Amino acid sequence: MSSINRYITTNKKRRAKGGAEVKMQGGLMELVERFIADKRSFNLVCTSRTKKIITEDGNVFFEDKELRKFKHFYLVNQLKNKILDKSELMIKYKEENFINPYNVEYFDFDKELASYAFDNGSVYEFSNVIEIDIVKAYYNALLVLGFIDLDFYKKCISIPKADRLRLVGSIATVKTIREYVEGDLVNEFIDQNSLLRDVWFLICLKVSHAMQTLREVFKKLDKENNIKENSFLFYWVDGIYVRELDKKIQQLKYETNDLYADICNELKDVLGFDYKMERLEKIEITNTGTTLELKVYKEEGFKLFFIPDNKIKSYYL
Amino acid sequence: MAKKKPKIQIRLNGGNAEWLTQRQIINRIKKGFEVNTTKRSANYDVIPLIEKYTPNIEPTEVQFEERKGGKTKKPQKLKSTISEALETVKEKEKKNQKEYFRGRKRELIKESILNIPVSSVTSRFADSDGQFNRLVEKGKLKVYPPSEFKIIDLDGKIFETKNRLDFVNFFMDQTEILYNVVTLILENDEDKHKISSPQFFVDGYFLLQYNFIIVGALADFTKIDIKGMHVELFKIYYELYKQIYNNE
């Protein structure tokens, strides 16, 4: 009995097609080493979080513990096909945008926050903070850019957050494939779809542009009203955190009772994203001696962020 | 003597402006009147009252009226602020594109090229010597192995560098177009040539390609008829090169 058969459970449907697949946790290297010792021919397909051994007898799929909960594999191909069906859109988008992994600014922090790096062990609080984030950002971007329709958007956003993020991230998957022939590694290559990867970086770019636009809006508001302290605190991927302007200024100068809701509405008209706004209890910044922690307090608890060292260095070194 | 209660100017059901006390306003709201603020009432906290006593009204739905006309209008100031912000982001994007190689990418390439062992480069170079020879014949170009740090262009001008660092600096400093070509290779060559990650920098193969690019940037590939695996690469690079020139 071949060693792989010991790992492959009966799966009638797969077996009818000539192969069987079994999911496993751990033990990948042991199996690969055994195959090499047995002089078997197989392919090892690796992504960052999954590994797959493909043989003539069947496949063995290794996954991370947390991925065991992912039950939406059926949506992965649907999403990829939807995007590929609209691939002609990319011609226009490529002309309009500089699509490049290095061109996406996933986060930004105000210099004031970075300055707390020099104050070991201290804790500071910001009150009157507003959070504005893009609702289901990456899916919203796919919808706004026309890669998916509203029905599919609704289908995707109905699944749990962790799965939702994994699903959209799957379009940028890079697979490393190692070909073993009779136990010897004969070829190693990368398999990826550059169109899908471009779409991924395009949606990341669009989301970061939306955040940068908001950041600029708040900088301009500060300037218009001669406010010395920056309103903008930081943005992280799809959420931006700012200090709220005085109510009186909002009412007198901008003739509104909620300037931030107006900004969201106005930006929705221009960029197409749906925004969600929330007034927060407070934001706390703690210098732990080694890191700068940001705690964003909400009704249901708090979110934790870290200011990356290179951001601090970019301001002060 | 009781203190006189301040009156606030508001509009009821879109009618004329009226002066009412806070209590009177609350009563009107409770009775189902549509209460709108006016410019004069902006000094008072009317909005919280409206929000508090009108359960179904969203704060953003409160409409503000212009004093002259009867139609509602969004504040223009905010619109201009947002369009200015959008412009700033667009400009920054353009700048990013231009200065792409002046930042970390430039450093990464420089560092990676410096780390390539010379032996690896020269052996790879020898493998493709035939390609170079043909190139020299057709395009009257000479390309020396990287260990010699020399490049001659179509006009016979010799670029000679003293050492490896100089050689790299030559690439980096001579012309910005070259940086852009390399950027585009990074982005476009991934599938066809399996050059997909910084790993390829430690492979002499890339430096070889890099030489081709330098030559490519100085020569007109359309006039060169060479066969073999690099022909397609040349075409791609040349297209990229033209694309950059056209964009400039």
Side-chain angles (χ1 to χ4, degrees), chain B residues 146-151 158-171:
Chain B
S147 52
E148 291 186 34
F149 314 119
K150 278 182 194 172
I151 294 173
I158 301 174
F159 296 99
E160 198 164 348
T161 50
K162 290 171 195 165
N163 52 39
R164 182 165 261 258
L165 182 64
D166 244 21
F167 184 64
V168 173
N169 279 333
F170 164 78
F171 291 143

Side-chain angles (χ1 to χ4, degrees), chain B residues 50-61:
Chain B
I50 300 172
E51 283 174 19
K52 191 174 176 185
Y53 293 99
T54 317
N56 295 327
I57 196 162
E58 286 291 322
T60 49
E61 287 172 4

Side-chain angles (χ1 to χ4, degrees), chain A residues 98 100 102-103 105 190 192 194 209 213 215-217 220 224 251-252 254-255 257 261-262 266 270, chain B residues 39 42-43 47 51 59-60 64 75 79 81-82 85-86 92-93 96 100 104-105 187 190-191 196:
Chain A
F98 180 42
N100 185 301
Y102 299 97
N103 192 28
E105 277 185 50
I190 282 164
Q192 62 183 16
S194 28
H209 278 180
T213 308
R215 181 186 64 192
E216 293 306 320
V217 167
K220 285 185 192 303
E224 280 170 17
Q251 289 172 349
L252 285 174
Y254 299 98
E255 298 182 341
N257 62 324
D262 282 2
E266 201 66 44
V270 186
Chain B
K39 278 196 175 175
N43 290 326
I47 291 141
E51 283 174 19
T60 49
F64 290 90
K79 272 193 172 179
T81 309
I82 286 174
L86 281 164
K92 203 186 152 203
E93 174 76 0
N96 270 358
Y100 185 51
R104 59 186 169 179
K105 200 76 184 175
E187 293 158 19
E190 292 181 358
D191 286 343
S196 61

Side-chain angles (χ1 to χ4, degrees), chain B residues 54 78 81 95 101 111 132 150 184 189 225 227 247:
Chain B
T54 317
L78 187 58
T81 309
K95 204 177 160 194
F101 258 85
E111 208 174 274
F132 276 103
K150 278 182 194 172
L184 289 166
D189 258 5
D225 174 31
K227 289 174 185 175
N247 287 346

